[in-house]
Structures are given as structure tokens and as C-alpha cells.
Amino acid sequence: MEDPVCFHHLSFAHQDLTEIPYEHILTQTETLEVLDLSYNLLNENPVLLGPLQKLSTLVLDCNRYTSHVKFPFMPSVTTVCINKNLIHNLPLFVDEVRLKFPAIRTLSMMNNEAAPSYFNGGSHTQYVDYRQYVISQIPGLEVLDDTGVQQEERVQARRTYRLQQSGRKTKDNALNKHTHTHQAVRYRPQ
């Protein structure tokens, strides 16, 4: 019996795919390191990519992914490229990336509405704010888009933003405290 062919790099780029070719990808669960699905017509959630044990790089450029994409938990992935898609809600998308790719070191999301830059009409201030937000939410990030993360950026990002979950708890606690205080004043007997 002949051994199956094993691949470390699979590219399905420029195939006009509307669905992820799972039948081909899942035969490589133990060897596949780089998966390129760029320049297709994909907008589905890549749910079945989870069992790819050695996958380190996922390229999803130029598809129709939105901020609402749901990835499977993929602990081996260190690089995600999702340039030129339809991502507009930065907090929603970054939270998904942070939770589903815990080992991520490189994230490239250029030419999405949520990633303002000079090339897509964003100002320098918007670009800096975007970088600080992403860096604050994904502390292990080493490269964002085409630029390495500098230590000064990391420090400023921590000053400007807190991890989303911490911020939500603090905001919720403040809201609850304010609500309880307000109710106590409102219902105080006279």
C-alpha cells in the first residue's frame, strides 16, 4: 500500500472557492504548517480547521471575512494574515483572535476598515490608536501588519488601553456601584 502524500504547505489561493476544501485539508492534520486560502470568495467560518496540530500560518487574505468570523481554537497558529477583507469592528475581531489563537505572534489585517492607515484613508492618529489597541489586547504580538512591535509601543499601549475583559469588569463594577448609589438616593425615605 502506498503512503499518502504529506504536505507542509497547502495553497488554495486564486481558486474562486466559495467553501473551504476540508476534504483535502483534513488529510494533512499531522503535517500541515502553512495553509493559504487567499483570493477566494470565502465568507464562512473556518470551523473544521481546528484539528490541524502543526498549523502555524493561516492566510485568509482577500476573501469576504467580516468582524463576526468565528475561528476554532487553534493553539499552534502563530501567524494570521487576513488582509483585504470586510473587517470593520476592531474590538470584536481582536477579541476573537486573542481567544482562538493564544500563540499568535504575527497578525496582518491591512486594508480592512478596522485597520486604518494612510493607504485606506486613515490618519496617522487613527493608525497609532489602532496599533495601540491591538497590541494592548494581544500582549504577545511581535509583528502587526508589516511592522514589528516596539517596546515603547507596548508600554504606551498598556497605558492607553487595558485588556478588554479587565476593562469590562471595571466598567461593570462602576456601573453597578453607580446604579446602587443612585437607587439608594432615589428610594430614600423622607
Side-chain angles (χ1 to χ4, degrees):
M1 184 169 149
E2 194 174 309
D3 287 336
V5 177
C6 295
F7 294 101
H8 295 285
H9 183 132
L10 272 180
S11 177
F12 294 95
H14 300 278
Q15 300 290 314
D16 292 327
L17 298 174
T18 56
E19 295 180 8
I20 295 174
Y22 294 115
E23 65 280 358
H24 300 293
I25 295 169
L26 294 177
T27 63
Q28 305 299 317
T29 58
E30 295 180 19
T31 59
L32 189 61
E33 296 174 14
V34 177
L35 177 59
D36 186 349
L37 295 166
S38 59
Y39 291 89
N40 282 296
L41 304 169
L42 302 173
N43 65 354
E44 65 179 71
N45 295 330
V47 174
L48 294 179
L49 298 178
L52 298 172
Q53 301 163 2
K54 293 188 177 183
L55 188 68
S56 64
T57 301
L58 183 58
V59 182
L60 301 168
D61 296 344
C62 299
N63 282 290
R64 297 180 301 184
Y65 287 107
T66 70
S67 308
H68 298 281
V69 63
K70 296 295 181 203
F71 295 105
F73 184 70
M74 300 177 80
S76 63
V77 172
T78 59
T79 300
V80 175
C81 298
I82 192 159
N83 303 298
K84 289 187 174 181
N85 276 277
L86 304 173
I87 300 164
H88 64 277
N89 185 322
L90 187 61
L92 183 65
F93 179 74
V94 168
D95 197 40
E96 178 71 10
V97 168
R98 179 175 56 83
L99 294 173
K100 302 297 178 64
F101 304 110
I104 193 164
R105 298 292 172 256
T106 300
L107 174 63
S108 186
M109 53 182 293
M110 294 183 288
N111 220 343
N112 280 286
E113 185 180 326
S117 74
Y118 174 77
F119 298 107
N120 65 1
S123 68
H124 179 71
T125 302
Q126 290 171 320
Y127 173 72
V128 169
D129 189 50
Y130 150 74
R131 282 188 62 85
Q132 285 184 359
Y133 180 78
V134 175
I135 293 166
S136 74
Q137 300 306 299
I138 307 174
L141 208 58
E142 296 171 359
V143 177
L144 177 57
D145 297 331
D146 60 349
T147 307
V149 175
Q150 302 301 313
Q151 185 58 31
E152 307 84 54
E153 274 186 299
R154 213 176 286 289
V155 170
Q156 186 59 47
R158 278 193 297 261
R159 280 190 205 137
T160 306
Y161 295 100
R162 297 190 187 277
L163 247 167
Q164 257 181 354
Q165 290 178 326
S166 306
R168 282 188 190 137
K169 287 179 185 173
T170 304
K171 187 176 180 179
D172 290 345
N173 289 342
L175 183 59
N176 288 340
K177 190 180 216 180
H178 174 70
T179 303
H180 293 306
T181 304
H182 184 68
Q183 287 174 343
V185 171
R186 181 186 293 165
Y187 297 110
R188 186 172 49 188
Q190 293 187 7

